[in-house]
Amino acid sequence: MERCHPSEVYELFVRHMNTPRVVVDSGVCATATLVQVHSARKHGVLLEAVAALSEHGVCVRKGYISSDDGRWFMDVFHVTDATGRKVADADALLARLESSLSATAAGDALPRAAGPSVEGLTLLELVGADRPGLLSEVFAVLHDLRCNTVEARAWTHGGRVAALVFVRDEETGAPIDDAARVRRIESRLRHVLRGGARGVRTVLSDASAVGNLDRRLHQLLNEDDEADSRAAAATTAVAVQDWGERGYSVVTVSCRDRPKLLFDVVCTLTDLDYVVYHGTFDTDGDHAQQEFYIRRSDGRAISSEAERQRVIRCLQAAIERRASEGVRLELRISDRRGLLAYVTRVFRENSLSVTHAEITTRGDMAMNVFHVTDVAGRPADPKTIDEVIQRIGTESLRVDEELWPRLCSAEGDAGRGGGGGLFSLGSLVKKNLFSLGLIRSCS
């Protein structure tokens, strides 16, 4: 029998010790599936766990994060499907969590969301001032330059837009890597965005290296100084307080609940280089409250008013830019050349503005989602929506009326947004949410 070298044995031991342990149990709680993650303290593991839950399509109803302030964490999540029921396939959720967390423990980047492969594609990163019809112009330029858009994500917030567009050559299906052609594409798109060199960036390396697309969109908008200065007054209540006795900064969030809310908060804190040591999150109907005890990666708490305001501003923006405005339209149709240019031109010609877009191609089918408002940002006229559907095709384009989009609507939220209901400093400790009793609690 061949013996392993001592260094290989040690490497296997370290990998085993650092690999997070996951438990998924649907029998403990009557109303939710319980997920427990035990892991060594490593920057990004919490984010990966939350990302895996989000991409599996489950909703985190409540939970907590506990640490011994040393090397180990225990994260507990009470999750349901979008309809509020227990997760049907607990084994699939367990497999997804174990796969994602094992990759993170091995030092890999945060994986991208599930979807078609982006290998062999060229990635365009776009940031600029938003305006009605902008995406229509972008897709028209790409079609004119014989670029086939395979996948794309676009978010707008505070008068700014960020987009990730994966393209390939329309004729050959190969990546676009000719330097002269790349410069021509970038020049045309910068003209559309009416911005300088920061407006367009082409990633010529393996486009799959971008990792999680939602995280990258957050990063692009957080790096965009103009997005901060132009953002409208926030309606999400965020506070940052000091707990000098224990060396923590305490972040509290109170807002309307929606899918991926926990991901957006944890992602922002992680990318701002903070570590969450303790935390609790809970939902009451359509309202969410969260509290996190954080330190910077160097172990220090927030030390200045400017830093505190930056954390508040970035968290408010991250939460609100995901709250999709407008009517959600789903397009499922056979893919063809110029499809996106045509569809978005129909939107523009009917005075509809796209606030969010998710473009996906699987095989020969295009499966796209658009959130649209009128050009002033108000709810679109139902008659206009009906005309657009008739023009594009009643069998291909439909209004999505699923439960979550209705819950996430901004209508009727005036009573929630003003900042009421924030946790008080130390409430997490006072309520003893780190006790194992929470694991059994379903109320």
Side-chain angles (χ1 to χ4, degrees):
M1 179 182 294
E2 184 178 354
R3 294 186 177 181
C4 295
H5 190 275
S7 63
E8 295 176 337
V9 174
Y10 179 74
E11 181 180 350
L12 289 172
F13 172 75
V14 171
R15 185 180 302 173
H16 174 75
M17 291 299 295
N18 288 335
T19 299
R21 291 171 292 167
V22 183
V23 176
V24 178
D25 191 343
S26 291
V28 173
C29 180
T31 59
T33 298
L34 181 74
V35 177
Q36 297 183 55
V37 179
H38 303 259
S39 66
R41 183 165 65 85
K42 182 178 180 181
H43 198 48
V45 171
L46 173 61
L47 175 58
E48 177 51 42
V50 174
L53 291 172
S54 296
E55 296 307 331
H56 196 75
V58 302
C59 302
V60 179
R61 301 304 183 185
K62 68 177 180 179
Y64 71 91
I65 302 156
S66 179
S67 168
D68 60 3
D69 286 359
R71 299 187 59 185
W72 292 96
F73 276 90
M74 181 171 69
D75 308 327
V76 177
F77 308 92
H78 288 249
V79 302
T80 68
D81 62 18
T83 64
R85 299 185 179 93
K86 289 185 180 183
V87 177
D89 193 346
D91 290 339
L93 177 58
L94 175 62
R96 183 174 201 137
L97 282 164
E98 289 181 333
S99 175
S100 298
L101 292 172
S102 296
T104 302
D108 297 339
L110 183 67
R112 67 185 299 273
S117 172
V118 295
E119 294 181 5
L121 302 177
T122 299
L123 170 60
L124 301 170
E125 294 185 343
L126 313 177
V127 180
D130 187 31
R131 67 177 186 278
L134 176 61
L135 284 183
S136 173
E137 295 179 43
V138 168
F139 291 129
V141 165
L142 292 175
H143 176 55
D144 184 56
L145 295 173
R146 305 187 314 281
C147 299
N148 179 31
T149 300
V150 179
E151 185 170 2
R153 298 277 183 90
W155 290 356
T156 64
H157 182 252
R160 307 292 288 178
V161 61
L164 303 173
V165 185
F166 295 86
V167 299
R168 62 189 176 200
D169 183 81
E170 198 172 64
E171 299 291 339
T172 67
I176 300 171
D177 52 13
D178 177 72
R181 186 178 181 188
V182 167
R183 286 194 297 270
R184 187 163 61 252
I185 293 171
E186 290 180 336
S187 176
R188 290 279 300 275
L189 289 175
R190 285 196 189 101
H191 179 73
V192 169
L193 290 169
R194 301 172 185 172
R198 294 181 58 202
V200 182
R201 187 166 76 94
T202 306
V203 180
L204 295 178
S205 59
D206 182 6
S208 61
V210 72
N212 186 281
L213 302 187
D214 289 350
R215 184 181 188 182
R216 184 58 188 148
L217 286 170
H218 277 308
Q219 290 170 344
L220 289 174
L221 286 169
N222 283 336
E223 294 165 1
D224 181 22
D225 295 334
E226 292 188 56
D228 286 339
S229 63
R230 298 185 184 194
T235 58
T236 299
V238 178
V240 178
Q241 299 170 287
D242 295 325
W243 192 13
E245 180 183 346
R246 297 295 300 272
Y248 291 117
S249 296
V250 184
V251 175
T252 53
V253 176
S254 180
C255 64
R256 178 179 285 274
D257 190 31
R258 59 163 174 74
K260 298 191 178 182
L261 174 63
L262 184 61
F263 170 84
D264 292 337
V265 173
V266 173
C267 176
T268 301
L269 291 173
T270 302
D271 284 337
L272 290 175
D273 208 25
Y274 294 103
V275 177
V276 177
Y277 285 82
H278 305 285
T280 182
F281 28 94
D282 199 1
T283 57
D284 180 12
D286 64 351
H287 192 67
Q289 295 196 37
Q290 303 178 353
E291 183 174 70
F292 302 98
Y293 288 62
I294 66 171
R295 294 176 183 146
R296 290 196 297 241
S297 59
D298 61 9
R300 294 183 296 170
I302 293 173
S303 58
S304 70
E305 178 62 19
E307 183 182 3
R308 188 178 74 87
Q309 290 297 329
R310 180 169 181 261
V311 171
I312 292 174
R313 186 173 64 249
C314 288
L315 285 173
Q316 288 174 331
I319 292 168
E320 292 177 7
R321 71 171 64 110
R322 171 89 75 170
S324 306
E325 299 175 352
V327 178
R328 176 183 167 112
L329 297 175
E330 291 187 350
L331 176 67
R332 185 183 177 93
I333 192 172
S334 295
D335 194 25
R336 63 178 187 270
R337 293 183 181 182
L339 174 65
L340 285 173
Y342 167 72
V343 170
T344 52
R345 186 178 76 245
V346 172
F347 292 159
R348 187 189 68 212
E349 290 174 348
N350 284 271
S351 300
L352 294 179
S353 182
V354 178
T355 62
H356 286 68
E358 183 173 339
I359 310 303
T360 306
T361 306
R362 293 186 179 177
D364 61 352
M365 292 298 296
M367 295 181 290
N368 306 331
V369 176
F370 304 94
H371 292 259
V372 298
T373 65
D374 70 9
V375 292
R378 297 185 298 261
D381 187 334
K383 293 182 180 179
T384 301
I385 296 296
D386 186 60
E387 290 172 2
V388 168
I389 291 175
Q390 294 295 328
R391 184 169 171 183
I392 294 176
T394 56
E395 295 183 357
S396 303
L397 186 66
R398 70 180 185 90
V399 176
D400 180 24
E401 296 180 349
E402 294 295 330
L403 174 65
W404 269 112
R406 290 201 304 271
L407 289 178
C408 295
S409 170
E411 297 178 6
D413 196 33
R416 291 287 193 182
L422 279 175
F423 286 90
S424 62
L425 177 61
S427 63
L428 180 148
V429 176
K430 293 176 183 177
K431 294 180 180 179
N432 196 25
L433 292 175
F434 293 147
S435 66
L436 293 178
L438 180 62
I439 297 177
R440 300 286 178 178
S441 171
C442 299
S443 59

